[in-house]
Amino acid sequence: MKEQLEKIYESAQKDLSASCSIADVEEVRAKYLSRKGEFNEIKKNLKNLSDEDKRVVGSLANEITQKLEAAIRAKHSEFYKKELNEKLLTERIDVTLPGKYIPMGKTHPLTSTTNEIVEIFQSLGFSVVPQENSPEVETEYYNFDALNVPKDHPARDVQDTFYTEFAKNVVLRSQTSGAQIHAMEGKNPPIRVISPGRVYRNENINARKNNLFHQIEGLYVDKDITFGDLKGVLNEFIRIYFGASRPTRFRSSFFPFTEPSAEVDVQCIMCEGKGCRTCSGTGWLEVLGCGMVDPNVLRGVGIDPDVYTGFAFGMGVERLAMLKYAIDDIRLFFNNDERFLDQF
Ligand code: DAH
């Protein structure tokens, strides 16, 4: 048995000196020293020896396994150092290398234009309605009926308005004017609010029209509100937004929810009124519709039109941005081309 022990020890030493990594060393440990290792197998047979032999062979076995354990530990630590050094050399971080460029996001020009317009109206005493009072998915009631739009009005046609599949009367709103109804329902004047948001129209897309765009709705209902107040507020808005020198004009118009109605045009900045592709040759771009709230609309939300009057307006954010920054194509707002967005 002594010889057997020595032979195993010899072969363990051979295996150990042939090992070239921590993994190899661990393999040697498992082969010889683990519970199922070769030395343990021998120790199991000690019980068949005489007491005297048990003592001699037992102590030899202990001595040999201790020596082997020490040798394995030494080899392990040798490889550990070596592997660590290699790692440090190959994985060294060069702190002088330039860092990764993290581009900063910017506010989209439509967002900054909306914020600017909202701030102007806030300075004129208007407050912004809560988002839940201005849903993008509306029933026909808010988008059309409550706004006095006749059942056979062409705007209701699927050619112009996107109907959803939720229910036959649910649409993607085609105007923010429904927010007027939400703002007046169950409330008493004075009401002086604006409501910015997205609108959708089933349009042929071109330089001036996209089927998604943004509007800002305004509403002021109180006693003795006149068309003069409407003109005063909108002229003041235009003066602040564009500066005093930009030619604008009020033009009479028609909307089912206002009487009388008007539209405001701003001179085209691209051609300075001469006529170009952006203004389709007219020299002007329409930026908003407005008027005195129709008595039918007030009555519908329980406000007495004999006591209260009001004005309303709805402006196109894209158009206002185009006219301020000389952007000649509405589609640029939606392409997310960095060469465009970087300019703001
Ligand atoms: N909703 C109209 C549109 O999208 C714009 C408009 C016109 C809004 C007159 C108003 C208004 O509030 O009084 O074309």
Side-chain angles (χ1 to χ4, degrees):
M1 257 178 132
K2 258 168 90 178
E3 275 150 34
Q4 217 180 335
L5 276 173
E6 260 146 20
K7 243 171 121 188
I8 298 174
Y9 180 48
E10 222 171 81
S11 114
Q13 278 178 313
K14 238 192 243 155
D15 283 356
L16 194 58
S17 63
S19 64
C20 357
S21 68
I22 289 181
D24 292 349
V25 173
E26 287 307 317
E27 233 170 75
V28 175
R29 190 199 298 280
K31 183 170 171 197
Y32 295 97
L33 295 177
S34 70
R35 216 152 43 80
K36 286 190 180 153
E38 300 199 8
F39 283 111
N40 248 355
E41 291 302 319
I42 294 209
K43 282 181 186 169
K44 276 184 206 158
N45 296 329
L46 282 178
K47 58 179 184 287
N48 306 325
L49 299 181
S50 68
D51 280 357
E52 174 59 15
D53 284 352
K54 234 186 242 170
R55 211 176 46 75
V56 176
V57 177
S59 88
L60 179 66
N62 280 342
E63 192 189 310
I64 286 179
T65 47
Q66 271 166 22
K67 271 204 272 181
L68 187 57
E69 257 163 26
I72 285 177
R73 233 179 290 127
K75 244 326 193 232
H76 188 285
S77 112
E78 180 190 320
F79 284 129
Y80 176 76
K81 280 186 200 140
K82 199 171 144 227
E83 285 175 21
L84 186 66
N85 266 339
E86 273 164 16
K87 225 176 176 179
L88 286 175
L89 277 176
T90 53
E91 293 177 11
R92 191 165 49 183
I93 294 169
D94 183 351
V95 292
T96 64
L97 281 173
K100 242 189 214 161
Y101 173 64
I102 301 171
M104 274 289 271
K106 283 187 191 173
T107 308
H108 192 277
L110 287 178
T111 307
S112 55
T113 301
T114 302
N115 291 345
E116 190 184 349
I117 297 169
V118 165
E119 271 166 35
I120 294 172
F121 280 104
Q122 282 173 330
S123 77
L124 296 173
F126 288 77
S127 51
V128 182
V129 305
Q131 198 58 49
E132 63 267 25
N133 279 351
S134 183
E136 283 176 35
V137 181
E138 276 285 23
T139 57
E140 275 191 279
Y141 175 77
Y142 287 99
N143 199 62
F144 296 126
D145 300 335
L147 289 163
N148 201 35
V149 179
K151 286 279 182 221
D152 59 355
H153 194 282
R156 293 196 186 225
D157 201 277
V158 288
Q159 306 273 304
D160 292 299
T161 298
F162 288 114
Y163 284 77
T164 69
E165 285 168 2
F166 293 122
K168 132 171 156 303
N169 66 336
V170 177
V171 300
L172 298 186
R173 68 174 171 191
S174 61
Q175 51 185 354
T176 45
S177 299
Q180 289 183 36
I181 307 302
H182 291 287
M184 289 189 284
E185 268 177 344
K187 294 194 196 70
N188 293 319
I191 296 164
R192 186 159 34 163
V193 292
I194 50 166
S195 178
R198 276 188 210 120
V199 301
Y200 303 84
R201 280 189 204 169
N202 198 355
E203 304 262 27
N204 289 324
I205 296 168
N206 60 33
R208 272 165 303 127
K209 287 181 177 171
N210 195 46
N211 46 24
L212 155 73
F213 60 103
H214 298 75
Q215 289 187 328
I216 296 178
E217 193 74 16
L219 174 73
Y220 188 6
V221 183
D222 201 353
K223 286 179 181 150
D224 304 323
I225 301 293
T226 67
F227 199 85
D229 295 317
L230 167 62
K231 272 194 95 168
V233 165
L234 290 180
N235 277 335
E236 187 59 5
F237 160 71
I238 286 163
R239 192 189 62 77
I240 300 172
Y241 181 75
F242 285 112
S245 58
R246 183 66 71 86
T248 53
R249 65 182 188 192
F250 262 81
R251 196 164 33 76
S252 79
S253 182
F254 173 80
F255 297 100
F257 33 95
T258 43
E259 181 58 37
S261 306
E263 281 176 315
V264 172
D265 298 336
V266 175
Q267 193 181 72
C268 179
I269 188 177
M270 263 59 77
C271 59
E272 289 180 337
K274 290 184 201 73
C276 65
R277 175 182 83 120
T278 311
C279 58
S280 64
T282 63
W284 298 90
L285 265 167
E286 179 216 321
V287 294
L288 66 87
C290 61
M292 300 306 291
V293 181
D294 195 289
N296 279 340
V297 174
L298 293 175
R299 238 175 259 124
V301 290
I303 294 174
D304 185 349
D306 292 328
V307 181
Y308 295 104
T309 53
F311 68 73
F313 56 85
M315 49 185 63
V317 179
E318 282 79 359
R319 293 279 178 91
L320 285 162
M322 289 166 80
L323 284 165
K324 185 152 178 168
Y325 303 110
I327 297 162
D328 64 359
D329 196 317
I330 194 171
R331 289 167 289 197
L332 287 165
F333 290 114
F334 303 100
N335 292 343
N336 284 331
D337 186 331
E338 272 191 65
R339 289 167 301 180
F340 172 71
L341 296 175
D342 264 350
Q343 296 175 49
F344 295 90

